[in-house]
Amino acid sequence: MSGRTIMTGNQAVAEAVRLARTEVVAAYPITPQTVIVEKLAEMVDSGLLDAEFIRVESEHSALAAVYGSAVAGKRSFTATSSHGLLYMYEMIWWVANARVPLVMVVVTRTIGPPWNIHTDHTDLLTMRDSGWIIAMAENVQEAFDLTINGFRISEEVSLPYTAGMDAFQLSHTSEVVDLLEQQYVDEFLPERRQSYVFGEEAFTVGCIGPNEYTARLRKDTFEALKNTEKVVDKVSREYEEITGRNCGLLEEYRLDDAEYAVVMMGAWSGDAKDAIDELRKESLPIGLLKLRYIRPMPYKKIQKLLDGKQVLVLDRDCSMGAGGILGVEVKNCVEATNIIAGIGGIDVGVDDFIKMFRVFSEGKLEVEKNGVYWWPPEIYDKGMR
Amino acid sequence: MEVKESILLSGNPSCQGCPHSLGLRALGLALDDPVVIIPAGCSTIVAGIHPKATINAPVLHVPFASAPAVASGIASAFRREGKKKQIVVWMGDGGADIGFATISGAAVRNEDIIVIVSDNEAYMNTGIQSSGTTFWKAKTTTSPTGKSEERKDLAAIMLMHRVPYVATASVGYLPDFINKLEKAKKIRGFRFIQLHSPCPPGWRFDSSKTVEIARMAVKCGAWILWEFDGKLSFSPASRPYKDKMKRTGLTEYLRAQGRFKGIDDSDIETIEKNIDMQWKFLEAFENF
Ligand code: SF4
Ligand SMILES: [Mg+2]
């Protein structure tokens, strides 16, 4: 399959994994990621994808298994969501500290209790400090593109890569998507490279070492992830030359002449753009800075782009006791107001954004004492019982 | 005659009389070209501290509960390359407790790996805490007055996974262990060996007595050597003790270990009954 078609985010990711000539897939199903796993299993069974599919018994084992196949030199993929991600958390850190390239898609879903299968971004952002490269898609096309980009970038810097996409809004929603033809993917994605391959020579990986050795490795990883900024720039430019689509670290939307800037990530950015279009009609000078990558976080670029603007950061996630996670991040480089909204999959549509942005631009957003504004206020005021 | 080099190099940092050292040495004698996956445990240390390594093979250290899953991924990678190396998971009873779902999952998938649980009947690397295979009445730091529950029979549980090869072995009978590895290496699919590994500091006996204690366990029937390769059979060293009258030295076995200090005759009677039951259970499978 190639060319323009209509499919859900889950299907598009599976197609990207196939086109990347992934050799090993291990995954455990969890709503709303399940379709990715099923599609890939089908592709392997039917011979459409020449790969091994490992039907593991848990997410911890899913990432452990692809760690094994990746460390032994094979392009490897897994996908998960929410509690599955938390269940594999130990392996998340291990894989990054071991500097093994592989790709995982996280379909972002609320963490319980209460049980909730709808989107928010806290699950993906629990990976923030681990050493993974973390991207987030706005639409099905980006979910596809980032997955392909992920293999390339991960293998170039020897760090694992994750792309997030919102539960249901992308995973289960059909959109028009341009699938890349195999020959272009092959051109873009050279044969797998990695800093070491396990299994041939008698050497030991991961053994106990002096503390200084651990400290040095951490600094190496830190710097490698920082440097990934340049690699994302380079790779996304190359990808743009082939596809005409940019998947760089940031996307600016009507930001140039904006006095008010909204910062956010994920599927709801699309509705925010529509809201901005509406407000622009009323001559409100507002624009958007979409974060496509959370790690590496291009602080300097963000600072430059937001300098002199009134900044509103929208979070669909929360760092308990601190604020919205993106809010905390962006405040590293500019002053910003922070709204937390859409938690637990609450719908936030164009009208909500219009309301939010208007109140913000009028300076009427009553930030609570703790510096964060929870939207929409009526939910929190009434106190559901 | 070709003399194989041991894969375990001298000067490794294990305790004196460490059963893992014995087991790893035997492993190297039996397998030609293994890669070894080690989850957290005593063997993490036995394998050496950077920049020194004591196992002369590719060794991958992995998180506690993950080893058979990592090995599954490696097996997939090797298969795609047509690489024939034996993939060995070398773990303890701790790894087998915390990672049981992982062992079970790999067995169910019939992964082409050998899982060896070197069972010293407690979590030794953290300082002797009770595990699923800790003997009833054995004192550990988390069962200071003696463990109040029976041990689980891990090998029998693995047998129920319908995998091609399951065996028990003992560091007191290394030729038997080597034979079993030789057999296992010719079989494809999931192979499991539970190696009985008496641990001097953990069981409180003198470090010169590891082999002696291991043999006492077999002679009194408390540790039974058997293998399943399509059919279950008792191994030569254990075969005589099918006859209950031939089993000897249970009291001596228990009294030789500090961890059983203070057990009385009625406890020993109970242990004997449990041992009888274990034999009957396995005999039922032998005759199946
Ligand atoms: S505690 Fe026991 S098993 Fe662990 S290294 Fe020492 S002797 Fe070996
Ligand atoms: Mg142990």
Side-chain angles (χ1 to χ4, degrees), chain B residues 20 41-42 91-95 117-125 129 131 133-134 197 199 203:
Chain B
H20 297 324
C42 284
M91 73 200 301
D93 49 311
V117 172
S118 185
D119 178 9
N120 53 18
E121 298 185 353
Y123 308 150
M124 295 312 178
N125 194 36
Q129 291 81 33
S131 82
T133 60
T134 299
S197 295
C199 156
W203 295 16

Side-chain angles (χ1 to χ4, degrees), chain A residues 301-358:
Chain A
K301 288 193 180 98
I302 293 171
Q303 188 174 28
K304 220 170 132 201
L305 289 166
L306 297 180
D307 191 38
K309 300 186 197 303
Q310 303 256 30
V311 179
L312 172 66
V313 183
L314 275 182
D315 268 291
R316 191 160 211 157
D317 52 75
C318 181
S319 169
M320 292 300 165
I325 297 171
L326 303 183
V328 171
E329 289 277 338
V330 171
K331 283 176 192 171
N332 269 337
C333 39
V334 289
E335 264 186 52
T337 303
N338 193 191
I339 292 183
I340 293 178
I343 295 295
I346 285 179
D347 258 342
V348 185
V350 179
D351 292 343
D352 297 285
F353 285 124
I354 291 175
K355 217 157 124 193
M356 240 184 253
F357 298 165
R358 205 176 265 144

Side-chain angles (χ1 to χ4, degrees), chain A residues 23 50-52 54-57 61 64-65 68-69 74 90-91 94 198-201 203-208 210 213, chain B residues 35 45 49-50 53 56-63 69-70 73-74 76-77 79-81 83 85 101-102 105 109 111:
Chain A
E23 291 194 80
D50 176 20
E52 297 246 345
I54 310 175
R55 277 184 299 272
V56 284
E57 72 294 336
S61 287
S69 57
K74 298 293 156 210
E90 181 188 31
M91 290 309 303
W94 193 272
F198 173 77
E200 208 41 66
E201 288 132 67
F203 69 76
T204 299
V205 182
C207 64
I208 302 174
Y213 174 76
Chain B
V35 302
I45 296 163
I49 294 164
H50 182 84
N56 190 16
V59 174
L60 189 66
H61 292 272
V62 299
V70 175
I74 292 170
S76 287
R79 194 154 41 237
R80 290 193 64 83
E81 281 179 11
K83 211 181 252 178
K85 291 180 172 233
T102 322
R109 294 189 300 272
E111 295 285 355

Side-chain angles (χ1 to χ4, degrees), chain B residues 197-266:
Chain B
S197 295
C199 156
W203 295 16
R204 316 270 155 87
F205 62 80
D206 188 85
S207 60
S208 64
K209 291 201 157 56
T210 306
V211 169
E212 194 180 318
I213 295 283
R215 288 190 183 161
M216 286 169 92
V218 169
K219 285 181 181 148
C220 71
W223 186 254
I224 308 171
L225 297 168
W226 56 269
E227 86 180 329
F228 171 87
D229 58 358
K231 189 169 171 22
L232 187 141
S233 59
F234 291 100
S235 309
S238 269
R239 219 168 279 152
Y241 311 113
K242 265 176 82 174
D243 179 357
K244 191 183 163 181
M245 303 313 291
K246 299 227 166 81
R247 290 175 212 157
T248 54
L250 175 60
T251 305
E252 290 75 7
Y253 172 60
L254 298 169
R255 297 257 186 253
Q257 303 170 48
R259 63 174 177 158
F260 291 116
K261 199 168 169 210
I263 58 167
D264 57 29
D265 289 348
S266 88

Side-chain angles (χ1 to χ4, degrees), chain A residues 89-350:
Chain A
Y89 203 52
E90 181 188 31
M91 290 309 303
I92 298 260
W93 290 74
W94 193 272
V95 166
N97 284 339
R99 299 295 303 273
V100 171
L102 56 85
V103 172
M104 171 163 80
V105 162
V106 173
V107 183
T108 60
R109 167 186 150 177
T110 302
I111 296 165
W115 283 119
N116 183 327
I117 57 171
H118 301 284
T119 189
D120 72 32
H121 302 159
T122 307
D123 58 353
L124 178 73
L125 292 173
T126 61
M127 296 173 70
R128 194 176 41 143
D129 301 332
S130 65
W132 282 61
I133 304 159
I134 304 172
M136 182 75 190
E138 180 189 331
N139 48 44
V140 171
Q141 184 70 63
E142 271 193 10
F144 173 86
D145 292 337
L146 288 172
T147 306
I148 302 252
N149 276 258
F151 285 105
R152 170 73 189 276
I153 295 164
S154 171
E155 289 165 18
E156 202 154 321
V157 298
S158 277
L159 284 170
Y161 182 106
T162 185
M165 70 168 162
D166 287 87
F168 301 104
Q169 300 182 356
L170 297 190
S171 66
H172 287 65
T173 305
S174 291
E175 291 179 6
V176 175
V177 48
D178 269 321
L179 297 183
L180 213 49
E181 278 170 45
Q182 186 69 61
Q183 67 186 95
Y184 294 116
V185 178
D186 290 346
E187 216 174 278
F188 174 72
L189 212 52
E191 246 182 61
R192 181 180 170 88
R193 294 185 279 165
Q194 64 193 81
S195 43
Y196 64 94
V197 175
F198 173 77
E200 208 41 66
E201 288 132 67
F203 69 76
T204 299
V205 182
C207 64
I208 302 174
N211 298 347
E212 291 76 10
Y213 174 76
T214 309
R216 209 179 74 213
L217 288 172
R218 287 304 165 279
K219 184 163 177 279
D220 281 353
T221 306
F222 176 84
E223 280 163 6
L225 191 47
K226 278 272 185 200
N227 284 333
T228 302
E229 221 182 293
K230 287 190 208 105
V231 178
V232 174
D233 281 344
K234 182 192 78 176
V235 169
S236 59
R237 260 198 309 275
E238 264 181 56
Y239 193 72
E240 190 174 4
E241 274 164 30
I242 300 171
T243 63
R245 296 188 297 272
N246 182 280
C247 289
L249 295 158
L250 300 163
E251 180 192 323
E252 298 164 53
Y253 187 78
R254 308 187 79 160
L255 192 64
D256 242 5
D257 61 339
E259 283 167 35
Y260 303 96
V262 178
V263 183
M264 62 198 300
M265 69 174 196
W268 63 348
S269 314
D271 283 342
K273 287 174 185 170
D274 291 347
I276 285 168
D277 289 344
E278 287 303 312
L279 292 168
R280 281 277 181 170
K281 283 182 199 155
E282 299 169 18
S283 310
L284 186 72
I286 185 164
L288 183 139
L289 180 63
K290 187 181 84 184
L291 306 177
R292 211 182 269 113
Y293 281 80
I294 307 309
R295 286 289 180 274
M297 185 64 121
Y299 294 109
K300 286 215 176 98
K301 288 193 180 98
I302 293 171
Q303 188 174 28
K304 220 170 132 201
L305 289 166
L306 297 180
D307 191 38
K309 300 186 197 303
Q310 303 256 30
V311 179
L312 172 66
V313 183
L314 275 182
D315 268 291
R316 191 160 211 157
D317 52 75
C318 181
S319 169
M320 292 300 165
I325 297 171
L326 303 183
V328 171
E329 289 277 338
V330 171
K331 283 176 192 171
N332 269 337
C333 39
V334 289
E335 264 186 52
T337 303
N338 193 191
I339 292 183
I340 293 178
I343 295 295
I346 285 179
D347 258 342
V348 185
V350 179

